[in-house]
C-alpha cells in the first residue's frame, strides 16, 4: 500500500509529518489522511516524482512507488494504460490474478502471440 | 508516584530523545517517529473542545489542533510549551493506562466515564498521574536540582532565608522554564513534587 510505504519512508528519515510536509510543500491535514489510507494517494505525476526524488527512489524502486499510488487509487499505472502491447497482455494478468492461473506453457504461448501481433509478417 | 518515575527512567534508557540532557524534550518526534503514532490534525480542535491534543481511543494516534500543529514554531512560546506538555500528558495515557483501558473494552462513553471516575479510587487520579508523568518527563529531576544547586548559593548571598521567598521562587521558575520548554507553572510544581524547593 502506498500509504504505508510513504509513512515508513518518512519515519525512516526520522521526519515528523509536519517537517516532511514543510519540506515537500504539502498540507499536513490532507497528508495525514493519505498516510492513514483515508484519502487516495496523489495522482499528480509531478508530485509523485518530487516525492520519489525526496526519498531518493530511482529506477525500479521509483516505478514501484508510482505504481503503488495508482494501484491504491484502483487505477492502472499511466504508462501501462498508454502502452498498447501491455494493454493487450492485461486480460491475461487479470485472469491470473483472479485465480485462473495460466500454465507456463500457456504464458509462453501468450507471449509469442503478443509478439506476433507487433511483428511485421514475413513476406 | 514512584511507579511513574520508574517508568520514565525505563523510557529514558530506551529512547535517546528522552535523555535528561536533551531538553526541551522533543515529544513531537518521539511520538511520531519512535512510537509510530499518527499525528491527526483536527480543525478548530482547541476552539471547539478546549484541548490542544488527545490520544485516539485505539492508541494509534494523537489528535492535534491543526493550526497549532502546523504553525507551532511560529506562534508564541507559551502555546508551544503548552502543546508539548499536553502531548507528554497524552503519552502518559499511552504508557500507563493503555493496557487497563484496552482490557476494559468500553462499549460506550458512559462506561468509560465511570471507569475514569473510579480509577485509583478518586476521580482525577488517571489525569493526575498523566500530569505527573508529563512534568517529570519534560523536567528531569536531576537537571532541575543541579540548576537549583547553582542558584542557591547566589540567592543565599542576596537574601538570607531565600527559600522562604515566594517571589524569588517564582523568579527561579521563570528562569528555568525555557531550558525545559515548559511554562513556569510546571517548574513550580516540579520544585514542590521533587522536593527541591517547596512553596512557603
Amino acid at each position: 500500500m502506498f500509504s504505508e510505504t510513504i509513512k515508513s519512508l518518512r519515519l525512516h528519515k526520522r521526519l515528523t509529518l509536519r517537517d516532511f510536509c514543510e519540506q515537500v510543500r504539502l498540507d499536513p491535514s490532507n497528508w495525514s489522511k493519505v498516510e492513514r489510507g483515508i484519502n487516495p494517494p496523489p495522482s499528480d505525476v509531478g508530485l509523485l516524482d518530487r516525492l520519489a526524488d525526496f526519498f531518493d527512489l530511482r529506477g525500479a524502486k521509483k516505478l514501484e512507488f508510482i505504481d503503488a499510488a495508482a494501484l491504491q487509487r484502483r487505477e492502472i499505472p499511466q504508462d501501462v494504460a498508454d502502452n498498447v502491447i501491455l494493454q493487450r497482455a492485461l486480460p491475461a494478468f487479470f485472469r491470473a490474478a483472479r485465480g485462473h492461473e495460466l500454465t507456463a506453457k500457456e504464458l509462453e504461448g501468450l507471449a509469442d502471440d503478443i509478439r506476433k501481433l507487433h511483428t511485421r509478417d514475413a513476406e | 508516584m514512584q511507579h511513574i518515575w520508574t517508568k520514565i527512567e525505563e523510557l529514558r534508557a530506551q529512547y535517546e530523545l528522552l535523555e535528561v540532557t536533551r531538553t526541551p524534550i522533543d515529544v513531537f518526534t518521539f511520538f511520531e517517529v519512535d512510537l509510530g503514532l499518527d499525528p491527526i490534525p483536527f480543525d478548530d480542535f482547541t476552539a471547539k473542545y478546549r484541548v490542544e491534543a488527545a490520544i485516539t481511543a485505539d492508541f494509534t494516534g494523537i489528535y492535534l489542533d491543526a493550526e497549532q500543529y502546523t504553525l507551532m514554531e511560529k506562534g508564541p512560546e507559551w502555546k508551544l510549551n503548552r502543546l508539548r506538555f499536553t502531548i507528554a500528558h497524552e503519552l502518559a495515557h499511552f504508557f500507563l493506562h493503555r493496557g487497563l483501558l484496552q482490557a476494559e473494552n468500553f462499549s460506550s462513553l458512559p462506561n468509560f466515564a465511570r471507569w475514569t471516575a473510579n480509577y485509583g479510587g478518586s476521580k482525577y487520579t488517571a489525569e493526575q498521574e498523566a500530569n505527573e508523568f508529563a512534568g517529570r518527563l519534560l523536567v528531569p529531576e536531576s537537571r532541575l536540582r543541579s540548576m537549583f544547586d547553582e542558584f542557591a548559593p547566589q540567592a543565599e548571598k542576596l537574601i538570607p532565608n531565600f527559600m522562604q521567598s515566594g517571589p524569588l521562587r517564582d523568579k527561579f521558575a521563570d528562569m528555568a522554564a525555557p531550558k525545559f520548554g515548559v511554562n513556569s507553572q510546571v517548574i513550580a510544581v516540579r520544585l514542590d513534587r521533587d522536593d527541591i524547593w517547596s512553596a512557603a
Side-chain angles (χ1 to χ4, degrees):
Chain A
M1 291 275 278
F2 176 87
S3 50
E4 288 160 7
T5 304
I6 193 103
K7 182 180 171 186
S8 136
L9 287 166
R10 173 174 71 75
L11 293 183
H12 189 70
K13 273 187 165 246
R14 295 195 61 81
L15 284 172
T16 63
L17 177 82
R18 196 179 66 91
D19 291 339
F20 167 68
C21 288
E22 200 173 292
Q23 291 189 35
V24 293
R25 300 187 308 280
L26 290 168
D27 174 67
S29 295
N30 291 336
W31 197 255
S32 159
K33 287 187 173 177
V34 172
E35 283 196 2
R36 287 180 291 125
I38 295 167
N39 279 358
S43 53
D44 176 352
V45 179
L47 173 57
L48 288 168
D49 249 355
R50 193 147 51 88
L51 293 173
D53 288 346
F54 182 80
F55 289 116
D56 224 8
L57 302 174
R58 295 173 209 282
K61 287 206 165 169
K62 180 172 179 175
L63 207 57
E64 206 176 295
F65 175 78
I66 293 171
D67 285 353
L71 291 172
Q72 196 174 332
R73 288 195 314 270
R74 296 167 190 271
E75 289 169 10
I76 295 171
Q78 197 58 49
D79 59 330
V80 175
D82 291 344
N83 185 315
V84 178
I85 300 173
L86 288 172
Q87 266 182 41
R88 288 190 178 136
L90 280 177
F93 289 128
F94 293 151
R95 185 167 168 245
R98 289 192 187 102
H100 306 285
E101 299 253 357
L102 297 177
T103 62
K105 201 174 173 187
E106 281 174 320
L107 273 174
E108 211 176 302
L110 173 71
D112 272 347
D113 286 343
I114 291 173
R115 205 174 300 122
K116 277 179 204 157
L117 287 171
H118 299 279
T119 309
R120 185 185 294 203
D121 290 329
E123 289 185 14
Chain B
M1 294 292 171
Q2 188 58 50
H3 68 291
I4 295 173
W5 299 355
T6 306
K7 182 72 198 175
I8 289 171
E9 291 323 306
E10 282 171 21
L11 293 170
R12 287 202 205 285
Q14 196 179 346
Y15 298 102
E16 269 183 54
L17 278 182
L18 304 183
E19 285 173 3
V20 294
T21 51
R22 302 185 65 151
T23 56
I25 300 286
D26 184 358
V27 288
F28 305 102
T29 304
F30 176 63
F31 92 78
E32 289 193 37
V33 177
D34 285 337
L35 300 181
L37 298 179
D38 288 315
I40 309 176
F42 191 131
D43 285 339
D44 300 323
F45 194 42
T46 304
K48 281 183 186 162
Y49 304 104
R50 295 176 299 284
V51 286
E52 284 82 29
I55 198 147
T56 59
D58 60 1
F59 294 92
T60 60
I62 294 184
Y63 299 115
L64 298 128
D65 184 89
E67 195 180 326
Q68 274 190 50
Y69 177 68
T70 310
L71 303 172
M72 67 169 85
E73 275 162 9
K74 297 185 175 95
E77 198 66 21
W78 66 266
K79 261 192 170 180
L80 172 62
N81 291 344
R82 205 165 69 176
L83 183 59
R84 184 181 288 113
F85 188 88
T86 309
I87 297 288
H89 175 107
E90 294 307 308
L91 289 177
H93 293 312
F94 179 83
F95 286 113
L96 304 174
H97 309 130
R98 180 176 37 152
L100 294 168
L101 286 161
Q102 284 175 335
E104 291 289 335
N105 194 18
F106 300 107
S107 54
S108 68
L109 201 58
N111 281 349
F112 173 71
R114 242 190 313 280
W115 179 88
T116 308
N118 294 324
Y119 174 79
S122 77
K123 195 171 180 180
Y124 298 111
T125 305
E127 295 308 304
Q128 283 168 344
E129 282 190 352
N131 283 339
E132 178 63 21
F133 179 97
R136 181 87 173 195
L137 181 74
L138 299 177
V139 185
E141 183 263 352
S142 59
R143 290 281 312 282
L144 185 61
R145 193 174 291 282
S146 63
M147 280 180 83
F148 174 78
D149 289 344
E150 273 181 36
F151 171 85
Q154 299 163 40
E156 187 70 58
K157 277 184 204 161
L158 292 171
I159 310 171
N161 286 329
F162 76 93
M163 296 280 280
Q164 303 303 311
S165 168
L168 195 60
R169 187 173 180 273
D170 292 345
K171 193 89 186 154
F172 176 75
D174 288 344
M175 187 189 78
K179 308 255 186 240
F180 301 101
V182 296
N183 292 328
S184 46
Q185 300 94 309
V186 175
I187 299 293
V189 171
R190 293 326 304 165
L191 288 171
D192 199 41
R193 308 274 315 156
D194 292 333
D195 217 9
I196 296 173
W197 186 351
S198 299

